Amino acid sequence: MDEMFGFSDLGHPNPDLTQCFQNTVLVWVPCVYLWLLAPFYCLHLYCHDSGRIHMSCLCTAKMVLGFLLASFGFVEFFYILLERSQEIQQHMVFLLSPIIRSMTVILALCIIQLERIRGCRSSVFLFLFWVLAVVCSLVPLRAKIQLAMDEGIASDIVRYLAFFSYFSIQLAQLFLCCFADQPPEGKTNPCPVKDASFLSKILFWWFTGLVVKGYRTPLAAEDLWTLREEDTSNKIISELQEDWTKALASGAALGSRLPDQAQLLRKLQKEQSSGFFLFRTLVRKFGPYFLTGTLCIIFHDAFMFAIPQVLSLLLGFMRDEDAPLWKGYFYATLMFLLSCLQSLFNHQYMYTCFTVGMRVKTAVMGLVYRKSLVINSAARRTCTVGEIVNLVSADTQKLMDFVVYFNAVWLAPIEIVLCLFFLWQHLGPSALAGITTVILIFPLNGIIAKKRSKLQVKIQMKFMDGRIRLMNEILNGIKILKFYAWEKAFLEQVLGYREKELKALKKSQILYSISIIAFAMFGVYVMQDDRNVLDAQKVFVSMALINILKTPLSQLPFAISTTMQAVVSLKRLGKYLCSEELKVDNVSKTPLGSDGEDVVIENGTFGWSAEGPPCLKRINVRVPRGSLVAVVGHVGSGKSSLLSAMLGETEKRSGCVTVKGSVAYVPQQAWIQNATVQDNILFGREKLKTWYHRVLEACALLPDLDILPAGDATEIGEKGLNLSGGQKQRVSLARAVYRKADVYLLDDPLSAVDAHVGQHIFDKVFGPKGVLRDKTRILVTHGMSFLPQADLILVLVDGEITESGSYQELLGRHGAFADFIHTFANTERKESAIQRGEHTLQGDTTNTNLQNMEPVTEADQEQVPEDLGKLTEVDKANTGRVSRKMAFDLISDCVNLFGSETINKYLIKAVRLAMYKKYFKTIGLAIIIPIVFLYAFQQGASLAYNYWLSMWADDPIVNGTQIDTDLKLTVFGALGFVQGLFNKILMDKCIAIFGTTVAISICGIIASRQLHMDLLMNVLRSPMSFFECTPSGNLLNRFAKEIDAIDCMVPDGLKMMLSYVFKLMEVCIIVLMATPFAAVIILPLAFLYAFVQSFYVATSCQLRRLEAVSRSPIYTHFNETVQGASVIRAFGEQSRFILQANDRVDFNQTSYFPRFVATRWLAVNLEFVGNGVVLAAAILSVMGKSTLSPGIVGLAVSHSLQVTGILSWIVRSWTDVENNIVSVERVNEYADTAKEASWSVDGSSLPLAWPQKGTIEFMDYGLQYRKGLELALKGITLHINEREKVGIVGRTGAGKSSLALGIFRILEAAKGKIFIDGVNIADIGLHDLRSRITIIPQDPVLFSGSLRMNLDPFDTYTDEEVWNSLELAHLKTFVSNLPDKLNHECSEGGENLSLGQRQLVCLARALLRKTKILVLDEATAAVDLETDTLIQSTIRTQFEDCTVLTIAHRLNTIMDYTRVIVMDRGHISEMDSPANLITQRGQFYRMCREARLV
């Protein structure tokens, strides 16, 4: 039996397994696999039904081949029974094997049918069975071929033919198992991974179709696959929300039974442990799938550590002269197979991690979004909109990184220990040096990492945040900067931040270089310690282990850092998700009943938070159905809080609130979505044309729609970018009116509209004859003229209702309300008349948006061209799109945002060579050439060291001593010399590594400094029209993300790419030195590599851009939702917005998913190319055994093992550079846009005191907002004398503001000239002009920084002069009472000052400059009467000897002026003194008469 079941002589050149082994064990192994596992697999199929598959050609072929295989077994059984009866008597197993084989094939056929019935389109189970069957048949196949060659085929031709046929059919079955059945007809463009075969899944071949498509034609959104069901937001979040709610409820239920102090403690504990709760919830949901990936990485590690052992065996074979060749080939093949399996398991692990990361991102985004819709006001105030958006951008990214690197935290130490263990085995005590170095290196790198982290997070990021915040303010207040010629002052501030940021970055990069040297020195130190071991086997196995050791050593610090960041992010997310929510019982909502009261508050006390003083006290309100209730009171009295209490937005401390029926709400500050006007009004409801038109007419929107380029299909920009304040408020109102709700809560909706428009809206909407006359209306208002028509008036004082009743009742009581009415009624009547004088309902006087200022009057309507309502290309880019075919056609959104030409440039074209030229030109050729030489020198040093090591290892050893003992002294001297040489090479190598790393880092900083400077100058020198058309988000993105990419990503990518390219060259040289014939294999592999990477780079860049384009709308939607949460809740639209958020996230994931799969596809394919190099080096080394030394073979094979990683990193780093070099293109984009004239003109002879008189002369002056549009000012000829006071009046769009824009050259003249003191302003620099004249703008803009900086950013004036200007502006008392006085820190936009105070600061600026010309651009339109009076009196006294131009809003402010100019449609229709104009009884007279001024 030993002869039959044993092995033949392994030392034989052609060893073989015995016949008995071949006919039993090799036959039974696949059969045992199938029979043992079949019951479990059938149970799995029974539990997972995917629908029956129709009998396909593939399934038919499998069945036919299966029956053939089964029949072969039975035929062989009868053949042996009849022809080989003697053999049967000796060994019964020969008769049993064919029967077992045939029965197993029949079982396989049954499983094929069961899979078809249960809808399994690709079988892993059967694929592995056929692989086992074919592998086990290879041994008898070889034996049969060898026997046929030795004895001839004629001896037993039937059995030979039968076996070869059987093996061929087995191969065919295996081949068919590599394909999957066709999927059933379902959703369009499904993800192919679900229906791919097992082989296609593990090799990522299912992705090839998209790669080829991306290479041939530019990818568009519709080319991407739909998400798998298990990856969709709806599927993930619906299950996760339930688990998260349970986790929170368990804590809440316990807390509710505790006393107050204990509850507070419990709340703090809950916040502390919230991160753990979230982590536990995510683990429960995604943990099982993640564990499959963990299993893959364990297998990967097993194969990784097996490779050096096989290398050891191969080198042992090379040393043993008597070893048979088959062993060498076996070891070479085994090394290749292990490398391939290592690659496959590694990339399955990475694929699993990225898939889990993607799902975690979806889950967290969904939870945060849903939370933002229910969070209460107290919790909301603790986090800004930016912080909430940061949670779904930065923190989710950190969690995704954590998923990828989490296993490294526990696996890397195990890998390090195993490496050191194997090194000890090979090197003995010599390995102690390496272990000691590891112990020393870790603290060193830990200190370096901590220092770098501090530099990056605390210092660099701090300056970057400061720079971005300042840029945001500059962009928001760019008009003021241009009016005051302050660009240079703010430019210097930005550059100050930038220099500090780059200084921190430089230090960080130098520390990074030091940490690299630490690792490099560790590697070469261990190798240096091998000097006593002159055995190639030990030397090169140790090198292979050291190469393995580099990965966990580099990963572990990063994994720990990532884990710590993820812990912080989990805490942040957990804290937010555990924030207090709005209580459902704040308001009792009931259906509309038969009784007559729709809103009832009984003894209500409310606060904005559970702690602190209440905002409303002792509130008792009963609102009868169909009544109009007016709520009045001073600023801060609690009017808006009362409406919030009715909506349930405030914390109810006592009392009861009941609201019956549906609610519509109009907030004080209009909330507008980035959607069409129509979408904003419909707000998710179906369009009813008649009602819709009626709503537009009632809300005075029809004239505005005529002005907008595409009518109600015009896309409204972010935060209502292209609408005036009044238009936004009316759109907000129209949204509520269209809703047809039962109760309307209206928070001062008429504050932003002109009085005549307000009267129209009141009459048509709220009033007794309005469209809402039968509805319950609660109106917060400051308009006294509306109060007589109110059914009930509530007077609020300090959060309490002091009086209530009808208008006449309250007047009759002669209380505070009556005094208030008598004080303001007369003033308001005058102002109302003035407003009516400026009619008709064409819009608001506050609308100074450049896009909407082209005059369109009733008389002009007939001459309007047909395409006015259609979008031009410029309008498409800047204003909006005509229609929205799909709710989330985000690529179209992107085209609208950037313009079709830009999208073609970014989404479609490959990265242009010009950008590389631009980048390298910025650095300079003088620096680039030395860097390349440094890299070459570094790799040359490495090559010399490695080759010397191989020669050293080949020295023969006899009994542990050198041969030629007589020459011991000479050899000792030679070794000393070589050691000295080695140390020199080591030092050079370290210097080269440090030099190249630092040099590239410094080059990157040089380039990014210059590119940032260019971008900043290009933006600041752009005209105002550029800022009107370009969303601030786009510009901020350039200064933040794109500059950050140029700072870090591009240099890091170049650093990595160059180092790996030179390393690859070193490996190729070493392999070719050992086996020159390898060139025959390396060259085709190089072409294949180039071919694969060209496909990948083309597709990867497009996928990255598609993913970036689809990411922005997620954050925009989050931003919108957080800001409009109260409106969404009031209208009950939470579910619709959640669906929209889901769709946006899913759309983004459709491009993110193929993007990370593309990397896996590339890596698998490239690593197989690299494994081909390993196989070539090993096979050729075996073939050349007689001529090659073990040292050179060890050198070649150990280096070829690195090729797979090197190839992947080259393409990965190249792709990173390609993707990020786009940032250079995007930053450079604004270099070609139109620019303003130069800030100053060289050799200008302008006197320092100019203008001395202040005369202004317009000569046939014309102005237009964009080329191709009608002139906004037409042939203005006008002379303004010194010290003259001129008022400019006219309705919206008449050209009032255009005159001011022309004087300051915000817009350049289309024709004609303007002279100031005889100097043509077109001939002087912009700063020379703007710094010598002053404007007080309509919108008071302040910047974050000290009050003094806001008044005098150049530090031109003394403190005494500044205080004097504040005194004249009536601000001295206020500023004196501030703790920091002039150094009082203004918040962003000056929000910690009131509107009136901000306007007075603008007046103080003007008083400080005290130029001869002052322009007031409706400067008092938005302030109360008291502030207006202060400003007007100061102007009259302090600017008595100056020329003053006032664009008037209130006519009574200009009645004492020397002249009034009446503008109409871009012309001067009237011009004279106010008295003469009244005498002429023209347009000005009619306006004054309506204002009761005459």
Side-chain angles (χ1 to χ4, degrees), residues 526-584:
V526 174
M527 293 177 201
Q528 183 187 7
D529 196 59
D530 295 347
R531 60 189 179 277
N532 297 321
V533 183
L534 303 176
D535 179 352
Q537 193 173 2
K538 290 184 179 180
V539 169
F540 291 107
V541 170
S542 300
M543 281 182 69
L545 286 166
I546 286 161
N547 283 328
I548 290 173
L549 187 56
K550 285 178 185 175
T551 304
L553 279 174
S554 60
Q555 272 189 352
L556 189 57
F558 188 72
I560 293 168
S561 170
T562 304
T563 304
M564 296 309 295
Q565 288 177 354
V567 168
V568 173
S569 292
L570 279 167
K571 282 181 181 176
R572 280 160 51 87
L573 285 162
K575 185 181 176 183
Y576 179 75
L577 292 173
C578 287
S579 301
E580 293 293 325
E581 297 180 2
L582 290 167
K583 293 175 183 172
V584 182

XYZ file of all heavy atoms in Angstrom, residues 526-584:
459
model
N 19.536 48.385 9.780
C 19.370 46.941 9.944
C 20.168 46.211 8.878
O 20.829 45.208 9.144
C 17.875 46.555 9.881
C 17.719 45.049 9.915
C 17.141 47.183 11.043
N 20.115 46.752 7.645
C 20.887 46.119 6.570
C 22.383 46.222 6.873
O 23.138 45.294 6.636
C 20.579 46.805 5.244
C 19.150 46.584 4.783
S 18.813 47.484 3.279
C 17.042 47.567 3.322
N 22.782 47.369 7.414
C 24.193 47.560 7.745
C 24.619 46.548 8.802
O 25.738 46.052 8.802
C 24.390 48.985 8.270
C 25.847 49.311 8.584
C 25.970 50.663 9.244
O 24.965 51.276 9.565
N 27.168 51.109 9.445
N 23.689 46.180 9.691
C 24.013 45.254 10.761
C 24.217 43.823 10.245
O 24.659 42.958 10.970
C 22.895 45.273 11.804
C 23.328 44.654 13.120
O 24.300 45.164 13.703
O 22.721 43.658 13.534
N 23.866 43.585 8.971
C 24.046 42.257 8.373
C 25.502 42.006 7.980
O 25.785 41.015 7.321
C 23.175 42.135 7.107
C 21.697 42.187 7.425
O 21.310 42.072 8.600
O 20.928 42.363 6.475
N 26.416 42.903 8.335
C 27.779 42.817 7.786
C 28.484 41.508 8.145
O 29.395 41.082 7.456
C 28.617 44.005 8.263
C 28.776 44.107 9.771
C 29.425 45.422 10.141
N 29.568 45.574 11.570
C 28.625 46.006 12.376
N 27.456 46.328 11.882
N 28.835 46.123 13.671
N 28.083 40.853 9.254
C 28.723 39.596 9.638
C 28.067 38.392 8.977
O 28.526 37.274 9.151
C 28.677 39.417 11.158
C 29.450 40.514 11.853
O 30.509 40.914 11.356
N 28.936 41.025 12.959
N 26.897 38.624 8.295
C 26.177 37.507 7.679
C 26.414 37.560 6.182
O 25.854 38.413 5.503
C 24.663 37.585 8.002
C 23.933 36.397 7.421
C 24.444 37.685 9.497
N 27.243 36.701 5.687
C 27.611 36.754 4.278
C 26.864 35.681 3.490
O 27.431 35.020 2.641
C 29.126 36.573 4.138
C 29.962 37.583 4.914
C 31.438 37.258 4.801
C 29.685 38.985 4.438
N 25.572 35.503 3.832
C 24.761 34.464 3.209
C 23.624 35.146 2.448
O 22.803 35.859 3.046
C 24.213 33.553 4.321
C 23.340 32.441 3.779
O 23.049 32.469 2.575
O 22.942 31.577 4.574
N 23.569 34.938 1.116
C 22.536 35.601 0.294
C 21.144 35.270 0.789
O 20.246 36.126 0.792
C 22.690 35.177 -1.167
N 20.960 34.011 1.200
C 19.640 33.578 1.656
C 19.168 34.449 2.815
O 18.043 34.955 2.818
C 19.725 32.114 2.086
C 18.355 31.459 2.293
C 18.513 29.963 2.549
O 19.616 29.451 2.595
N 17.395 29.285 2.691
N 20.037 34.681 3.790
C 19.659 35.467 4.963
C 19.561 36.958 4.638
O 18.650 37.650 5.073
C 20.672 35.230 6.084
C 20.584 33.828 6.668
C 21.524 33.652 7.831
C 21.383 32.239 8.418
N 22.278 32.018 9.558
N 20.524 37.443 3.866
C 20.548 38.870 3.542
C 19.282 39.294 2.826
O 18.606 40.248 3.231
C 21.790 39.224 2.698
C 21.666 40.636 2.146
C 23.049 39.088 3.523
N 18.893 38.575 1.763
C 17.792 39.050 0.920
C 16.423 38.685 1.477
O 15.445 39.381 1.214
C 17.991 38.559 -0.511
C 19.158 39.225 -1.167
C 20.342 38.535 -1.393
C 19.119 40.568 -1.482
C 21.429 39.167 -1.959
C 20.199 41.215 -2.050
C 21.373 40.510 -2.285
N 16.349 37.608 2.249
C 15.095 37.343 2.970
C 14.884 38.435 4.008
O 13.769 38.925 4.205
C 15.124 35.930 3.605
C 13.944 35.755 4.553
C 15.107 34.858 2.532
N 15.978 38.837 4.670
C 15.877 39.929 5.642
C 15.439 41.221 4.957
O 14.618 41.975 5.484
C 17.229 40.151 6.326
O 17.636 38.992 7.009
N 15.979 41.468 3.763
C 15.560 42.670 3.014
C 14.078 42.623 2.681
O 13.362 43.637 2.792
C 16.376 42.783 1.719
C 17.772 43.331 1.918
S 18.642 43.482 0.358
C 17.734 44.799 -0.403
N 13.600 41.426 2.289
C 12.173 41.281 1.970
C 11.322 41.543 3.208
O 10.274 42.211 3.140
C 11.897 39.878 1.423
N 11.779 41.048 4.353
C 11.044 41.269 5.607
C 11.072 42.748 6.000
O 10.078 43.289 6.494
C 11.656 40.419 6.728
C 11.342 38.923 6.662
C 12.257 38.143 7.593
C 9.880 38.656 7.004
N 12.216 43.392 5.756
C 12.321 44.820 6.078
C 11.379 45.638 5.193
O 10.739 46.586 5.654
C 13.782 45.295 5.947
C 14.586 44.760 7.129
C 13.874 46.814 5.916
C 16.067 44.750 6.907
N 11.258 45.233 3.914
C 10.323 45.920 3.020
C 8.885 45.753 3.508
O 8.065 46.665 3.398
C 10.459 45.387 1.592
C 11.689 45.941 0.901
O 12.098 47.070 1.158
N 12.324 45.147 0.046
N 8.578 44.553 4.040
C 7.246 44.330 4.624
C 7.073 45.221 5.849
O 6.025 45.825 6.074
C 7.055 42.840 5.005
C 6.944 41.979 3.748
C 5.819 42.641 5.886
C 6.933 40.477 4.008
N 8.138 45.318 6.643
C 8.088 46.078 7.893
C 7.828 47.570 7.672
O 7.217 48.236 8.510
C 9.414 45.881 8.639
C 9.552 46.441 10.052
C 8.456 45.898 10.957
C 10.909 46.113 10.620
N 8.262 48.100 6.521
C 8.084 49.530 6.246
C 6.607 49.924 6.248
O 6.241 51.001 6.715
C 8.704 49.886 4.891
C 10.219 49.956 4.898
C 10.733 50.262 3.497
C 12.257 50.221 3.444
N 12.753 50.405 2.072
N 5.754 49.017 5.716
C 4.325 49.354 5.595
C 3.666 49.549 6.959
O 3.085 50.604 7.209
C 3.594 48.288 4.770
O 4.230 48.173 3.508
C 2.132 48.642 4.576
N 3.714 48.561 7.879
C 3.074 48.805 9.184
C 3.719 49.936 9.963
O 3.038 50.661 10.694
C 3.237 47.467 9.919
C 4.319 46.734 9.214
C 4.254 47.187 7.792
N 5.052 50.127 9.800
C 5.711 51.218 10.508
C 5.206 52.577 10.038
O 5.059 53.506 10.824
C 7.229 51.138 10.316
C 7.986 50.154 11.223
C 9.440 50.093 10.817
C 7.855 50.532 12.681
N 4.946 52.693 8.745
C 4.440 53.973 8.229
C 2.943 54.108 8.476
O 2.429 55.200 8.667
C 4.741 54.094 6.736
O 4.125 53.039 6.027
N 2.225 52.966 8.479
C 0.766 53.012 8.642
C 0.345 53.276 10.077
O -0.639 53.968 10.320
C 0.139 51.688 8.181
C -0.189 51.643 6.717
C -0.999 50.411 6.363
O -1.196 49.522 7.181
N -1.457 50.350 5.132
N 1.099 52.706 11.030
C 0.656 52.756 12.427
C 0.487 54.182 12.959
O -0.573 54.502 13.519
C 1.609 51.946 13.313
C 1.143 51.736 14.754
C -0.214 51.053 14.790
C 2.165 50.930 15.532
N 1.479 55.086 12.792
C 1.256 56.462 13.282
C 0.052 57.113 12.616
O -0.732 57.797 13.271
C 2.556 57.193 12.909
C 3.565 56.136 12.658
C 2.819 54.949 12.181
N -0.079 56.862 11.302
C -1.199 57.463 10.577
C -2.525 56.866 11.055
O -3.515 57.582 11.215
C -1.018 57.220 9.074
C -2.012 57.961 8.236
C -1.942 59.335 8.082
C -3.048 57.291 7.594
C -2.870 60.025 7.314
C -3.975 57.968 6.825
C -3.884 59.342 6.691
N -2.538 55.548 11.295
C -3.759 54.879 11.759
C -4.165 55.390 13.135
O -5.353 55.637 13.397
C -3.544 53.367 11.795
N -3.164 55.562 14.019
C -3.465 56.082 15.367
C -3.996 57.506 15.271
O -4.989 57.864 15.920
C -2.202 56.009 16.265
C -1.836 54.545 16.544
C -2.417 56.768 17.567
C -0.475 54.347 17.173
N -3.333 58.321 14.434
C -3.778 59.710 14.232
C -5.204 59.746 13.683
O -6.048 60.506 14.164
C -2.822 60.413 13.269
O -3.334 61.654 12.876
N -5.468 58.890 12.682
C -6.812 58.839 12.073
C -7.846 58.402 13.099
O -8.961 58.934 13.136
C -6.808 57.853 10.878
O -5.791 58.249 9.968
C -8.144 57.850 10.171
N -7.473 57.431 13.925
C -8.403 56.940 14.953
C -8.721 58.045 15.957
O -9.887 58.234 16.334
C -7.798 55.724 15.682
O -7.474 54.721 14.710
C -8.771 55.143 16.700
N -7.696 58.792 16.371
C -7.925 59.882 17.322
C -8.829 60.959 16.722
O -9.723 61.477 17.381
C -6.585 60.506 17.746
C -5.657 59.568 18.502
S -6.448 58.728 19.893
C -6.794 60.109 20.964
N -8.580 61.272 15.447
C -9.436 62.256 14.763
C -10.868 61.747 14.656
O -11.825 62.506 14.825
C -8.880 62.553 13.368
C -7.608 63.378 13.388
C -7.036 63.587 11.995
O -7.514 63.032 11.021
N -5.980 64.365 11.916
N -11.004 60.435 14.384
C -12.345 59.844 14.261
C -13.069 59.872 15.601
O -14.286 60.105 15.649
C -12.240 58.408 13.747
N -12.332 59.643 16.701
C -12.939 59.708 18.043
C -13.482 61.109 18.297
O -14.607 61.279 18.790
C -11.905 59.304 19.124
C -12.425 59.638 20.518
C -11.588 57.821 19.024
N -12.681 62.129 17.930
C -13.135 63.527 18.084
C -14.371 63.781 17.228
O -15.354 64.381 17.691
C -11.996 64.507 17.713
C -12.499 65.947 17.707
C -10.822 64.364 18.671
N -14.328 63.302 15.984
C -15.472 63.496 15.074
C -16.710 62.784 15.589
O -17.820 63.314 15.503
C -15.124 62.991 13.675
O -14.146 63.811 13.088
N -16.531 61.570 16.119
C -17.670 60.834 16.684
C -18.278 61.592 17.857
O -19.501 61.660 18.001
C -17.225 59.437 17.134
C -17.113 58.374 16.039
C -16.373 57.151 16.553
C -18.487 57.963 15.519
N -17.421 62.182 18.671
C -17.924 62.967 19.814
C -18.697 64.181 19.331
O -19.771 64.507 19.847
C -16.758 63.407 20.708
C -16.231 62.300 21.614
C -15.103 62.814 22.495
C -14.563 61.705 23.387
N -13.400 62.152 24.174
N -18.127 64.863 18.327
C -18.803 66.052 17.766
C -20.159 65.677 17.166
O -21.164 66.339 17.412
C -17.920 66.707 16.703
C -16.818 67.595 17.248
C -15.709 67.824 16.216
N -16.196 68.263 14.929
C -16.431 69.545 14.584
N -16.211 70.483 15.473
N -16.850 69.848 13.380
N -20.153 64.616 16.368
C -21.392 64.164 15.730
C -22.391 63.691 16.780
O -23.582 64.022 16.720
C -21.094 63.034 14.736
C -20.445 63.452 13.418
C -19.807 62.264 12.723
C -21.464 64.114 12.491
N -21.888 62.912 17.737
C -22.765 62.399 18.791
C -23.381 63.518 19.600
O -24.574 63.499 19.927
N -22.563 64.513 19.915
C -23.064 65.660 20.691
C -24.176 66.376 19.927
O -25.205 66.735 20.501
C -21.914 66.628 20.988
C -22.307 67.800 21.886
C -21.138 68.733 22.125
C -21.580 69.942 22.945
N -20.502 70.912 23.140
N -23.950 66.575 18.624
C -24.977 67.253 17.813
C -26.241 66.401 17.730
O -27.356 66.906 17.865
C -24.425 67.544 16.418
C -25.440 68.220 15.516
C -25.759 69.559 15.691
C -26.094 67.518 14.511
C -26.707 70.190 14.892
C -27.036 68.134 13.701
C -27.339 69.474 13.899
O -28.277 70.086 13.109
N -26.053 65.105 17.490
C -27.221 64.221 17.324
C -27.973 64.014 18.632
O -29.129 63.587 18.614
C -26.768 62.866 16.758
C -26.239 62.898 15.312
C -25.663 61.556 14.922
C -27.328 63.313 14.335
N -27.311 64.296 19.763
C -27.980 64.190 21.069
C -28.533 65.539 21.530
O -29.035 65.639 22.660
C -27.010 63.652 22.113
S -26.663 61.904 21.918
N -28.409 66.570 20.700
C -28.909 67.901 21.081
C -30.410 67.839 21.342
O -31.123 66.981 20.826
C -28.631 68.909 19.964
O -27.261 68.986 19.695
N -30.854 68.817 22.124
C -32.282 68.882 22.441
C -33.097 69.142 21.183
O -32.696 69.926 20.326
C -32.534 70.014 23.449
C -31.922 69.775 24.822
C -32.570 68.612 25.559
O -33.790 68.424 25.394
O -31.861 67.892 26.271
N -34.234 68.490 21.124
C -35.126 68.657 19.968
C -36.356 69.458 20.376
O -36.666 69.591 21.558
C -35.550 67.288 19.420
C -34.389 66.461 18.895
C -34.846 65.111 18.346
O -36.069 64.861 18.344
O -33.973 64.320 17.943
N -37.039 69.978 19.365
C -38.305 70.667 19.613
C -39.314 69.658 20.165
O -39.420 68.538 19.645
C -38.851 71.261 18.307
C -38.082 72.440 17.745
C -38.531 72.721 16.323
C -38.283 73.684 18.599
N -40.001 70.039 21.204
C -40.957 69.115 21.809
C -42.252 69.121 20.999
O -42.758 70.170 20.630
C -41.219 69.514 23.250
C -39.993 69.325 24.142
C -40.238 69.847 25.539
C -38.978 69.713 26.380
N -39.117 70.390 27.684
N -42.759 67.933 20.788
C -43.988 67.805 19.995
C -45.157 68.461 20.707
O -46.071 68.996 20.072
C -44.293 66.298 19.728
C -45.527 66.138 18.859
C -43.103 65.623 19.088
